[in-house]
Amino acid sequence: MRIRTVQSIRLRQFAVTLLISLIGVVALVISGSSLAQNPDSRPRTTGTATPTPVQTPAATPQTGGPGRRIAPQLGAPPPPPILKPKPTPTPDPTSAEIDEGSRLVMNTELVTLNVRVIDRNNRPISNMRKDEFKVYEDGVPQPVFSFTEEEVPVIYGLAVDTSGSLRGAFEQVINAAKAIINSNKKGDETFLERFISSDKIETIQDFTSNKDALMDGLDTLYIEGGQTAVVDGVYLAAEHVAEYKKGDNNDRRRRALIVVTDGEDRSSYYPEAQLFQRLREEDVQIYVIGFVNELDAEKGFIRKSPRDKAVNLINKIASETGGRAFFPESISELPSIANEIVRDLRTQYVISYDPTNKAHDNTYRTIKVTVADAPGRDKRIALTRSGRHAGQVNTAPGTRTSTTPAPKTTPASNVRQPANNPPRKTP
């Protein structure tokens, strides 16, 4: 009996041991399977884990393969915005004022200056005589060929910044522009331009003397967002005014440009240096109405504030071309500013001189006009463009120079073509 009891106990112990072994084997199999499916699994630990700093590798250009990011690259800049003229109509030979077969070369030596004379309080001075003016080119006195104070027709452009920065004053800006256009007289011609970014510089109305067409063009203007390109807008508008001609090649009408902007250039294709070089080549006076009060006046340690940069740009554009800059403190000043611009355009002196330096070497030559002080009166100041480029002139041997007007031809008009893509500056 005792022997059977001992055998029964041993049999139970063997069964328990076998069961424990089987459980262990099953646990090992499950654990191994789990590790195979999750190779990055880590055993859980108690307490607060200390985060391991992650090192970010340096960014390198990646190409191909799923899940890889391609580093952005700056593409080549697109071509600059240009003015594309319409084909010139064939001149009518019956309209010529010279005999058929005659050869006539215009005198392109004369340099014409629009001169404004003011006192210390910026009031215009009229009724001056030719002998009271002296003209200097590179410091050398120049012989005055012609002089007049008569009102002559004006060719001018009106370029309006329609970016969001002028939203608050936009209605008053349009009203001031209409006041300027309403002052147009017989022989005046005007064109309208709106500019925002470099790819949004548009001719709203090309040169015309029709006031109704110009008014309708102003009524179509609207505010639109974009990176303001002041330099590009001025560059193209001044170029368009300078190149536009109507009638004979002896057109002596004054050429001007009126610009309304906040002066903050954000993304222009043309650098400022190229703008001012171009302006020195053209006889276009520029008047700028600058709404700069909303610009940031905060300056850095070594940089100018956006407002200071805008004021400097506006002043330089005006002074380089013999024009004027206006900085209204409120929109209520716009009507009087418009009247001042109109008065300046109508009360200037037109002086032409024959330069003593006949070289056409494309050099820049400074120009200065002085006026004699009148006894017992305030000092008088003459304002005009600061210089000119002596461009190349091709004259065939044996031809003669004449100041006789050239044959009248049908004028060619110009159409502005905005750029197809927004230009970018090359880094």
Side-chain angles (χ1 to χ4, degrees), residues 159-171:
V160 181
D161 178 352
T162 56
S163 63
S165 55
L166 289 185
R167 189 181 303 276
F170 192 65
E171 182 179 354

Side-chain angles (χ1 to χ4, degrees), residues 121-168:
N121 296 318
N122 203 30
R123 293 175 300 202
I125 298 175
S126 57
N127 300 322
M128 296 194 62
R129 303 185 310 274
K130 176 181 177 180
D131 59 1
E132 294 181 282
F133 288 86
K134 290 185 178 180
V135 180
Y136 299 88
E137 184 176 284
D138 283 343
V140 179
Q142 303 295 308
V144 176
F145 181 83
S146 64
F147 170 87
T148 181
E149 192 187 2
E150 297 178 359
E151 286 192 3
V152 295
V154 182
I155 297 173
Y156 72 93
L158 186 56
V160 181
D161 178 352
T162 56
S163 63
S165 55
L166 289 185
R167 189 181 303 276

Side-chain angles (χ1 to χ4, degrees), residues 335-373:
S336 62
I337 290 175
N339 290 333
E340 285 194 54
I341 292 175
V342 171
R343 181 192 64 189
D344 280 2
L345 291 176
R346 301 297 176 190
T347 60
Q348 297 184 59
Y349 301 91
V350 181
I351 299 176
S352 296
Y353 71 91
D354 191 10
T356 56
N357 185 352
K358 302 298 184 182
H360 300 286
D361 50 8
N362 205 33
T363 59
Y364 179 72
R365 300 174 188 175
T366 60
I367 295 174
K368 183 178 181 181
V369 177
T370 62
V371 289
D373 290 334

